[in-house]
Amino acid sequence: MSDKIGALIERVSNGTVLAEQRGHVLIVTLNRPDARNAVNLDLTVGVGEALDVAEVDPSVWVVVITGAGDKAFCAGADLKAAAAGEFAHPDERLQRWGFAGYTEHAISKPTIAAVNGFALGGGTELVLASDLAVAVETATFGLPEVKRGIYAGAGGAFRLPRQIPQKVAMEAILTGEPFTAQRALELGLVNRVVPFDRLLDEALALAEAICANAPLAVQVSKRIARGITEQHVAAEDADWARSRDEAAGLMGSADAREGMLAFAEKRAPHWQGK
């Protein structure tokens, strides 16, 4: 089944996502290194399909998600793709799966983020959506969206304060300042910090420790711990609704437009508060 999964995911993602099965572990790689593994429609479909396959394939017990290259795990949304309206695609799976086909895709199989580089914005949100995480020593985390006049709409704004101390999370959210892999380890956002050449080995070792246990018992335990019913976490419904309601006003604001323009023009933004 391994070769079939890899061929399927590479085809549906137009090569932006790679999948490789090693034993009972499915390794899913964001494969846009020249774009810092930024998320576009193809990548979203590829990751989403990979998780759907993992959920129903009894030979897959754990999923590891990582990025190609040695610079970035994921740079968040591809702004060019967003400007082109790719994320307004009518495919209902996009809403069901969430950002990158991942952030609202609550499968029963444990997920491990292997963070191979900086993971700001959407990259941090992928880590927050994962059950476990291993990071390279040079990785950085954070939610810099407020610096661009926008917000962490893929779960970061409500998940970060629940996974690390609230005041520390609020500082990160409100200032947009990044923090190091070592700080992420101290805060409990990641499980391990390792040199780059040991990243995948460490993630796979963690996966194998899980695979040593009864897979159905692991999956039941995850569903109970995460509150998952039929790939859905009902406890987060109000959070997602609030996040989307707030987006309606913010994303059309003058400050949001200025933030994106200033970022593109590599200059300091001029905020108006409107």
Side-chain angles (χ1 to χ4, degrees):
M1 181 64 75
S2 175
D3 291 343
K4 291 183 180 179
I5 293 177
L8 169 67
I9 300 309
E10 188 167 358
R11 176 174 57 80
V12 300
S13 72
N14 290 318
T16 62
V17 178
L18 305 177
E20 175 194 356
Q21 189 170 347
R22 297 191 192 178
H24 292 299
V25 182
L26 184 66
I27 303 170
V28 178
T29 303
L30 312 181
N31 189 40
R32 302 188 71 215
D34 292 342
R36 300 179 300 172
N37 298 318
V39 175
N40 63 2
L41 179 61
D42 283 337
L43 186 145
T44 298
V45 171
V47 173
E49 287 286 358
L51 294 192
D52 271 0
V53 169
E55 183 73 342
V56 301
D57 189 332
S59 73
V60 176
W61 296 1
V62 177
V63 175
V64 171
I65 184 167
T66 192
D70 59 1
K71 298 291 190 298
F73 172 59
C74 176
D78 185 319
L79 297 182
K80 291 181 180 178
E86 281 192 16
F87 299 110
H89 196 280
D91 191 332
E92 61 83 23
R93 296 176 301 174
L94 303 187
Q95 289 298 317
R96 177 162 52 86
W97 292 340
F99 174 73
Y102 193 83
T103 55
E104 295 175 64
H105 205 159
I107 65 172
S108 300
K109 311 295 176 72
T111 56
I112 302 172
V115 185
N116 58 297
F118 74 82
L120 298 174
T124 288
E125 288 172 313
L126 295 183
V127 175
L128 290 168
S130 300
D131 298 310
L132 304 171
V134 179
V136 296
E137 296 165 323
T138 55
T140 53
F141 300 85
L143 300 174
E145 285 84 354
V146 293
K147 293 178 177 289
R148 311 283 179 250
I150 55 176
Y151 76 117
F158 61 84
R159 283 177 171 161
L160 190 63
R162 292 173 187 168
Q163 294 190 25
I164 68 174
Q166 188 177 59
K167 283 186 168 57
V168 178
M170 292 306 296
E171 180 177 349
I173 292 168
L174 299 179
T175 67
E177 291 298 318
F179 50 94
T180 65
Q182 186 60 41
R183 181 62 170 151
L185 179 65
E186 293 166 359
L187 294 169
L189 183 62
V190 302
N191 301 83
R192 311 272 194 280
V193 172
V194 297
F196 183 85
D197 60 1
R198 284 180 46 206
L199 176 68
L200 196 54
D201 287 343
E202 194 71 25
L204 290 173
L206 202 49
E208 290 301 330
I210 295 170
C211 289
N213 302 312
L216 296 184
V218 167
Q219 292 159 36
V220 166
S221 298
K222 173 178 172 174
R223 287 196 295 269
I224 294 169
R226 297 288 296 267
I228 299 170
T229 301
E230 296 181 350
Q231 298 189 43
H232 179 70
V233 180
E236 291 185 339
D237 283 351
D239 299 303
W240 288 115
R242 185 178 302 109
S243 185
R244 288 169 181 135
D245 287 346
E246 292 284 2
L250 179 64
M251 300 309 285
S253 70
D255 278 354
R257 291 192 295 272
E258 166 64 8
M260 291 294 96
L261 184 61
F263 178 71
E265 295 178 350
K266 296 181 172 57
R267 60 171 175 81
H270 304 291
W271 306 122
Q272 302 179 58
K274 60 183 181 180

